[in-house]
Amino acid sequence: MTFASLGLIEPLLRTLPVLGYILPTPVQRQAIPSLLTGRDLLVAAQTGSGKTAGFALPVLQRLTLEGPPVAANSVRALVLVPTRELAEQVHGTFRACGMELPLRTAVAYGGVSINPQMMMLRPGLDVLVATPGRLLDLHRQNAVRFDQLRILVLDEADRMLDLGFARELDELFALLPKQRQTLLCSATFSDSIRQIAAGLLRDPLSIEISAPNSAAPSVEQWLIPVDKKRKVELFLHLLERERWEQVLVFSRTRKGVERLAEELQQRGYRAGAIHGDLPQPARLRALEQFKAGELQVLVATDVASRGLDIQGLPLVVNLDLPVAPEYYVHRIGRTGRAGATGEAISLVCADEVEQLAAIEMLIRELLPRHEEPEFSPEHRVPETALGGAILKKPKKPKQKLIPGAGAKGRIHLGNLLDDPRPEVEAVRQMPNLGAPSKKK
Ligand code: ADP
Ligand code: MG
């Protein structure tokens, strides 16, 4: 099946080969024709399956063929995303796919000055890609109007909800016209998210590609059991021995990221960092340098784990396991994209066995263990079984509560990283989009 047979118009068909898109991916084959007819859509597809172009192409086509030109400060299609990096990236796809079309697109997110964003909204936009908080700020300042809005896309929708954007989203949805096309997509979909989606979408086409909550099958995953205090040493050892050309390393906390990045830089590696305390330009610069191959190692918190597309990235290493199992899927989904192969290695210590069991339950497979003889842990990582069972509990691990996690959200946070604040507070009550949630 070709892009032409999906009903795309000539200017888009001319552009696709320029982007290296020769044949549509499975999710694109299913999504594009029905989106072109204006249907609502719920997409659950593994990471790297081409969802972005899957919605960008039909959205651009509909905006080109339908409706009056955009009025001042108005927006005809709105794409909401959870993070700034993803906003840039999704906007990049809209710009690339729409290069032959006379449409105005722009991106808006927090952490940078709002004035230029207000200026670019003044003549009106066909497509605005935004994070929810900044969009509301813009609306409060009368910089954006939604009466012309016809299309709403929520990318990484589940993440937006569990990142605590529920209140912003409630507020936004109340501002949007009811007559519109709505699309929700993500790699992971919990049942409660599906329920919420049911409230937002009208008679949606539901597309599910491959098993939900799984990474691309082309990613080879395993873990190395290691004592917490030797993780950094093990990472450095592997980096040198395996001569890793390019690696994206995840750590749960900002401090953990800083520390590893500094250690690497001191040893002469070209390493960069991305976490929420860094100014936005620095975050984007690090990402761009990594994408351009100028950095060998990029160390990041989970702010970088969703949706980022790094062409040909061969390897993801988890210096520690994420607070919520879904993040594991997103972290390792940074590799093995668009059919390429990839590797994902997790350095796991005894305290992390509950996180490990939760991940294995989510992905419905056990991570193979490859021990490194020189790094055999003193504290064994208890065996796990499918279904989330831990076969032998570790001896009294230190416990800390994640603020707001509730009784069920108790997990062990090691002291590998002194700063126990997770970069992303994932373990939260599922927000309810139906009723506006109260400000805390
Ligand atoms: P997802 O949002 O599903 O995780 P992306 O939309 O970020 O995935 O796409 C993953 C990668 O696949 C990107 O590099 C994108 O440019 C590429 N891609 C998307 N569609 C195609 C296609 N039809 N042919 C080749 N590459 C594609
Ligand atoms: Mg995506």
PDB file of all heavy atoms in Angstrom, residues 365-388:
ATOM      1  N   GLU A 365       7.048  -9.818  30.052  1.00  0.00           N
ATOM      2  CA  GLU A 365       8.189 -10.709  29.861  1.00  0.00           C
ATOM      3  C   GLU A 365       9.220 -10.428  30.949  1.00  0.00           C
ATOM      4  O   GLU A 365       9.229  -9.346  31.541  1.00  0.00           O
ATOM      5  CB  GLU A 365       8.802 -10.548  28.462  1.00  0.00           C
ATOM      6  CG  GLU A 365       9.346  -9.174  28.149  1.00  0.00           C
ATOM      7  CD  GLU A 365       9.853  -9.086  26.703  1.00  0.00           C
ATOM      8  OE1 GLU A 365       9.030  -8.765  25.824  1.00  0.00           O
ATOM      9  OE2 GLU A 365      11.055  -9.324  26.474  1.00  0.00           O
ATOM     10  N   LEU A 366      10.027 -11.455  31.211  1.00  0.00           N
ATOM     11  CA  LEU A 366      11.082 -11.282  32.202  1.00  0.00           C
ATOM     12  C   LEU A 366      12.326 -10.780  31.497  1.00  0.00           C
ATOM     13  O   LEU A 366      12.676 -11.268  30.427  1.00  0.00           O
ATOM     14  CB  LEU A 366      11.390 -12.623  32.877  1.00  0.00           C
ATOM     15  CG  LEU A 366      10.283 -13.190  33.768  1.00  0.00           C
ATOM     16  CD1 LEU A 366      10.716 -14.535  34.346  1.00  0.00           C
ATOM     17  CD2 LEU A 366       9.914 -12.234  34.892  1.00  0.00           C
ATOM     18  N   LEU A 367      12.977  -9.809  32.094  1.00  0.00           N
ATOM     19  CA  LEU A 367      14.219  -9.322  31.494  1.00  0.00           C
ATOM     20  C   LEU A 367      15.330 -10.330  31.782  1.00  0.00           C
ATOM     21  O   LEU A 367      15.574 -10.674  32.943  1.00  0.00           O
ATOM     22  CB  LEU A 367      14.590  -7.962  32.092  1.00  0.00           C
ATOM     23  CG  LEU A 367      13.639  -6.813  31.774  1.00  0.00           C
ATOM     24  CD1 LEU A 367      14.152  -5.517  32.403  1.00  0.00           C
ATOM     25  CD2 LEU A 367      13.475  -6.632  30.275  1.00  0.00           C
ATOM     26  N   PRO A 368      15.999 -10.801  30.747  1.00  0.00           N
ATOM     27  CA  PRO A 368      17.110 -11.724  30.990  1.00  0.00           C
ATOM     28  C   PRO A 368      18.194 -11.029  31.814  1.00  0.00           C
ATOM     29  O   PRO A 368      18.395  -9.818  31.690  1.00  0.00           O
ATOM     30  CB  PRO A 368      17.636 -12.031  29.587  1.00  0.00           C
ATOM     31  CG  PRO A 368      16.669 -11.464  28.623  1.00  0.00           C
ATOM     32  CD  PRO A 368      15.805 -10.484  29.335  1.00  0.00           C
ATOM     33  N   ARG A 369      18.860 -11.820  32.669  1.00  0.00           N
ATOM     34  CA  ARG A 369      19.916 -11.248  33.510  1.00  0.00           C
ATOM     35  C   ARG A 369      21.275 -11.675  32.995  1.00  0.00           C
ATOM     36  O   ARG A 369      21.514 -12.863  32.797  1.00  0.00           O
ATOM     37  CB  ARG A 369      19.754 -11.753  34.953  1.00  0.00           C
ATOM     38  CG  ARG A 369      18.463 -11.318  35.577  1.00  0.00           C
ATOM     39  CD  ARG A 369      18.295 -11.914  36.956  1.00  0.00           C
ATOM     40  NE  ARG A 369      17.042 -11.420  37.530  1.00  0.00           N
ATOM     41  CZ  ARG A 369      16.873 -11.115  38.804  1.00  0.00           C
ATOM     42  NH1 ARG A 369      17.859 -11.287  39.659  1.00  0.00           N
ATOM     43  NH2 ARG A 369      15.712 -10.679  39.235  1.00  0.00           N
ATOM     44  N   HIS A 370      22.121 -10.719  32.779  1.00  0.00           N
ATOM     45  CA  HIS A 370      23.497 -11.032  32.381  1.00  0.00           C
ATOM     46  C   HIS A 370      24.407 -10.467  33.456  1.00  0.00           C
ATOM     47  O   HIS A 370      24.535  -9.250  33.576  1.00  0.00           O
ATOM     48  CB  HIS A 370      23.847 -10.373  31.043  1.00  0.00           C
ATOM     49  CG  HIS A 370      23.034 -10.880  29.888  1.00  0.00           C
ATOM     50  ND1 HIS A 370      23.361 -10.643  28.588  1.00  0.00           N
ATOM     51  CD2 HIS A 370      21.898 -11.610  29.848  1.00  0.00           C
ATOM     52  CE1 HIS A 370      22.457 -11.202  27.786  1.00  0.00           C
ATOM     53  NE2 HIS A 370      21.561 -11.793  28.536  1.00  0.00           N
ATOM     54  N   GLU A 371      25.022 -11.341  34.215  1.00  0.00           N
ATOM     55  CA  GLU A 371      25.868 -10.806  35.280  1.00  0.00           C
ATOM     56  C   GLU A 371      27.251 -10.423  34.721  1.00  0.00           C
ATOM     57  O   GLU A 371      27.761 -11.068  33.808  1.00  0.00           O
ATOM     58  CB  GLU A 371      25.997 -11.826  36.398  1.00  0.00           C
ATOM     59  CG  GLU A 371      26.078 -11.130  37.742  1.00  0.00           C
ATOM     60  CD  GLU A 371      25.729 -12.049  38.898  1.00  0.00           C
ATOM     61  OE1 GLU A 371      24.538 -12.177  39.235  1.00  0.00           O
ATOM     62  OE2 GLU A 371      26.674 -12.613  39.446  1.00  0.00           O
ATOM     63  N   GLU A 372      27.814  -9.366  35.257  1.00  0.00           N
ATOM     64  CA  GLU A 372      29.194  -8.986  34.930  1.00  0.00           C
ATOM     65  C   GLU A 372      30.056  -9.507  36.083  1.00  0.00           C
ATOM     66  O   GLU A 372      29.923  -9.006  37.202  1.00  0.00           O
ATOM     67  CB  GLU A 372      29.325  -7.463  34.852  1.00  0.00           C
ATOM     68  CG  GLU A 372      28.846  -6.855  33.558  1.00  0.00           C
ATOM     69  CD  GLU A 372      29.710  -7.238  32.366  1.00  0.00           C
ATOM     70  OE1 GLU A 372      30.938  -7.394  32.538  1.00  0.00           O
ATOM     71  OE2 GLU A 372      29.152  -7.415  31.270  1.00  0.00           O
ATOM     72  N   PRO A 373      30.913 -10.492  35.814  1.00  0.00           N
ATOM     73  CA  PRO A 373      31.625 -11.157  36.914  1.00  0.00           C
ATOM     74  C   PRO A 373      32.297 -10.194  37.900  1.00  0.00           C
ATOM     75  O   PRO A 373      32.167 -10.345  39.102  1.00  0.00           O
ATOM     76  CB  PRO A 373      32.650 -12.021  36.193  1.00  0.00           C
ATOM     77  CG  PRO A 373      32.096 -12.231  34.829  1.00  0.00           C
ATOM     78  CD  PRO A 373      31.230 -11.047  34.508  1.00  0.00           C
ATOM     79  N   GLU A 374      32.952  -9.169  37.361  1.00  0.00           N
ATOM     80  CA  GLU A 374      33.656  -8.255  38.270  1.00  0.00           C
ATOM     81  C   GLU A 374      32.697  -7.406  39.098  1.00  0.00           C
ATOM     82  O   GLU A 374      33.119  -6.728  40.028  1.00  0.00           O
ATOM     83  CB  GLU A 374      34.532  -7.281  37.462  1.00  0.00           C
ATOM     84  CG  GLU A 374      35.772  -7.878  36.902  1.00  0.00           C
ATOM     85  CD  GLU A 374      36.406  -6.880  35.926  1.00  0.00           C
ATOM     86  OE1 GLU A 374      36.700  -5.744  36.326  1.00  0.00           O
ATOM     87  OE2 GLU A 374      36.584  -7.246  34.749  1.00  0.00           O
ATOM     88  N   PHE A 375      31.458  -7.411  38.714  1.00  0.00           N
ATOM     89  CA  PHE A 375      30.498  -6.532  39.379  1.00  0.00           C
ATOM     90  C   PHE A 375      29.370  -7.314  40.056  1.00  0.00           C
ATOM     91  O   PHE A 375      28.311  -6.780  40.316  1.00  0.00           O
ATOM     92  CB  PHE A 375      29.913  -5.539  38.380  1.00  0.00           C
ATOM     93  CG  PHE A 375      30.894  -4.495  37.934  1.00  0.00           C
ATOM     94  CD1 PHE A 375      31.755  -4.746  36.876  1.00  0.00           C
ATOM     95  CD2 PHE A 375      30.966  -3.276  38.594  1.00  0.00           C
ATOM     96  CE1 PHE A 375      32.677  -3.784  36.467  1.00  0.00           C
ATOM     97  CE2 PHE A 375      31.891  -2.310  38.191  1.00  0.00           C
ATOM     98  CZ  PHE A 375      32.743  -2.565  37.127  1.00  0.00           C
ATOM     99  N   SER A 376      29.609  -8.586  40.317  1.00  0.00           N
ATOM    100  CA  SER A 376      28.620  -9.401  41.017  1.00  0.00           C
ATOM    101  C   SER A 376      28.165  -8.689  42.280  1.00  0.00           C
ATOM    102  O   SER A 376      28.985  -8.320  43.107  1.00  0.00           O
ATOM    103  CB  SER A 376      29.245 -10.725  41.433  1.00  0.00           C
ATOM    104  OG  SER A 376      28.935 -11.678  40.501  1.00  0.00           O
ATOM    105  N   PRO A 377      26.873  -8.503  42.449  1.00  0.00           N
ATOM    106  CA  PRO A 377      26.436  -7.708  43.599  1.00  0.00           C
ATOM    107  C   PRO A 377      26.541  -8.459  44.932  1.00  0.00           C
ATOM    108  O   PRO A 377      26.358  -9.678  44.975  1.00  0.00           O
ATOM    109  CB  PRO A 377      24.969  -7.411  43.277  1.00  0.00           C
ATOM    110  CG  PRO A 377      24.548  -8.479  42.331  1.00  0.00           C
ATOM    111  CD  PRO A 377      25.763  -8.901  41.570  1.00  0.00           C
ATOM    112  N   GLU A 378      26.876  -7.722  45.982  1.00  0.00           N
ATOM    113  CA  GLU A 378      26.815  -8.290  47.338  1.00  0.00           C
ATOM    114  C   GLU A 378      25.370  -8.491  47.744  1.00  0.00           C
ATOM    115  O   GLU A 378      25.007  -9.444  48.405  1.00  0.00           O
ATOM    116  CB  GLU A 378      27.481  -7.339  48.332  1.00  0.00           C
ATOM    117  CG  GLU A 378      28.987  -7.358  48.284  1.00  0.00           C
ATOM    118  CD  GLU A 378      29.573  -6.233  49.129  1.00  0.00           C
ATOM    119  OE1 GLU A 378      28.944  -5.845  50.136  1.00  0.00           O
ATOM    120  OE2 GLU A 378      30.659  -5.744  48.763  1.00  0.00           O
ATOM    121  N   HIS A 379      24.539  -7.532  47.355  1.00  0.00           N
ATOM    122  CA  HIS A 379      23.112  -7.654  47.662  1.00  0.00           C
ATOM    123  C   HIS A 379      22.409  -8.214  46.442  1.00  0.00           C
ATOM    124  O   HIS A 379      22.276  -7.531  45.429  1.00  0.00           O
ATOM    125  CB  HIS A 379      22.520  -6.285  48.015  1.00  0.00           C
ATOM    126  CG  HIS A 379      23.235  -5.612  49.139  1.00  0.00           C
ATOM    127  ND1 HIS A 379      22.986  -5.924  50.452  1.00  0.00           N
ATOM    128  CD2 HIS A 379      24.209  -4.672  49.138  1.00  0.00           C
ATOM    129  CE1 HIS A 379      23.787  -5.195  51.215  1.00  0.00           C
ATOM    130  NE2 HIS A 379      24.533  -4.428  50.449  1.00  0.00           N
ATOM    131  N   ARG A 380      22.005  -9.485  46.526  1.00  0.00           N
ATOM    132  CA  ARG A 380      21.401 -10.129  45.367  1.00  0.00           C
ATOM    133  C   ARG A 380      20.105  -9.429  44.966  1.00  0.00           C
ATOM    134  O   ARG A 380      19.335  -9.003  45.831  1.00  0.00           O
ATOM    135  CB  ARG A 380      21.055 -11.597  45.672  1.00  0.00           C
ATOM    136  CG  ARG A 380      22.175 -12.417  46.253  1.00  0.00           C
ATOM    137  CD  ARG A 380      23.302 -12.660  45.286  1.00  0.00           C
ATOM    138  NE  ARG A 380      22.850 -13.157  43.970  1.00  0.00           N
ATOM    139  CZ  ARG A 380      23.648 -13.208  42.903  1.00  0.00           C
ATOM    140  NH1 ARG A 380      24.904 -12.793  42.988  1.00  0.00           N
ATOM    141  NH2 ARG A 380      23.195 -13.672  41.772  1.00  0.00           N
ATOM    142  N   VAL A 381      19.860  -9.358  43.717  1.00  0.00           N
ATOM    143  CA  VAL A 381      18.553  -8.877  43.251  1.00  0.00           C
ATOM    144  C   VAL A 381      17.622 -10.093  43.252  1.00  0.00           C
ATOM    145  O   VAL A 381      17.877 -11.058  42.536  1.00  0.00           O
ATOM    146  CB  VAL A 381      18.642  -8.294  41.825  1.00  0.00           C
ATOM    147  CG1 VAL A 381      17.279  -7.809  41.367  1.00  0.00           C
ATOM    148  CG2 VAL A 381      19.677  -7.184  41.769  1.00  0.00           C
ATOM    149  N   PRO A 382      16.590 -10.086  44.095  1.00  0.00           N
ATOM    150  CA  PRO A 382      15.735 -11.268  44.182  1.00  0.00           C
ATOM    151  C   PRO A 382      15.162 -11.649  42.818  1.00  0.00           C
ATOM    152  O   PRO A 382      14.947 -10.779  41.967  1.00  0.00           O
ATOM    153  CB  PRO A 382      14.612 -10.828  45.124  1.00  0.00           C
ATOM    154  CG  PRO A 382      15.195  -9.712  45.906  1.00  0.00           C
ATOM    155  CD  PRO A 382      16.155  -9.016  44.991  1.00  0.00           C
ATOM    156  N   GLU A 383      14.914 -12.924  42.631  1.00  0.00           N
ATOM    157  CA  GLU A 383      14.334 -13.390  41.376  1.00  0.00           C
ATOM    158  C   GLU A 383      12.902 -12.891  41.266  1.00  0.00           C
ATOM    159  O   GLU A 383      12.203 -12.738  42.265  1.00  0.00           O
ATOM    160  CB  GLU A 383      14.319 -14.931  41.330  1.00  0.00           C
ATOM    161  CG  GLU A 383      15.700 -15.559  41.302  1.00  0.00           C
ATOM    162  CD  GLU A 383      16.465 -15.228  40.015  1.00  0.00           C
ATOM    163  OE1 GLU A 383      15.829 -15.183  38.950  1.00  0.00           O
ATOM    164  OE2 GLU A 383      17.693 -14.993  40.102  1.00  0.00           O
ATOM    165  N   THR A 384      12.479 -12.682  40.060  1.00  0.00           N
ATOM    166  CA  THR A 384      11.091 -12.279  39.822  1.00  0.00           C
ATOM    167  C   THR A 384      10.421 -13.321  38.943  1.00  0.00           C
ATOM    168  O   THR A 384      11.097 -14.129  38.307  1.00  0.00           O
ATOM    169  CB  THR A 384      11.052 -10.926  39.092  1.00  0.00           C
ATOM    170  OG1 THR A 384      11.933 -10.994  37.980  1.00  0.00           O
ATOM    171  CG2 THR A 384      11.489  -9.799  40.013  1.00  0.00           C
ATOM    172  N   ALA A 385       9.092 -13.294  38.926  1.00  0.00           N
ATOM    173  CA  ALA A 385       8.369 -14.212  38.054  1.00  0.00           C
ATOM    174  C   ALA A 385       7.335 -13.412  37.288  1.00  0.00           C
ATOM    175  O   ALA A 385       6.943 -12.326  37.697  1.00  0.00           O
ATOM    176  CB  ALA A 385       7.689 -15.308  38.879  1.00  0.00           C
ATOM    177  N   LEU A 386       6.881 -13.957  36.162  1.00  0.00           N
ATOM    178  CA  LEU A 386       5.850 -13.265  35.390  1.00  0.00           C
ATOM    179  C   LEU A 386       4.623 -13.066  36.264  1.00  0.00           C
ATOM    180  O   LEU A 386       4.298 -13.904  37.091  1.00  0.00           O
ATOM    181  CB  LEU A 386       5.476 -14.074  34.154  1.00  0.00           C
ATOM    182  CG  LEU A 386       6.319 -13.788  32.911  1.00  0.00           C
ATOM    183  CD1 LEU A 386       5.802 -14.591  31.740  1.00  0.00           C
ATOM    184  CD2 LEU A 386       6.302 -12.304  32.574  1.00  0.00           C
ATOM    185  N   GLY A 387       3.937 -11.970  36.067  1.00  0.00           N
ATOM    186  CA  GLY A 387       2.794 -11.675  36.920  1.00  0.00           C
ATOM    187  C   GLY A 387       3.187 -10.774  38.069  1.00  0.00           C
ATOM    188  O   GLY A 387       2.371 -10.455  38.930  1.00  0.00           O
ATOM    189  N   GLY A 388       4.446 -10.356  38.115  1.00  0.00           N
ATOM    190  CA  GLY A 388       4.853  -9.357  39.099  1.00  0.00           C
ATOM    191  C   GLY A 388       5.310  -9.931  40.429  1.00  0.00           C
ATOM    192  O   GLY A 388       5.542  -9.191  41.377  1.00  0.00           O
TER     193      GLY A 388
END
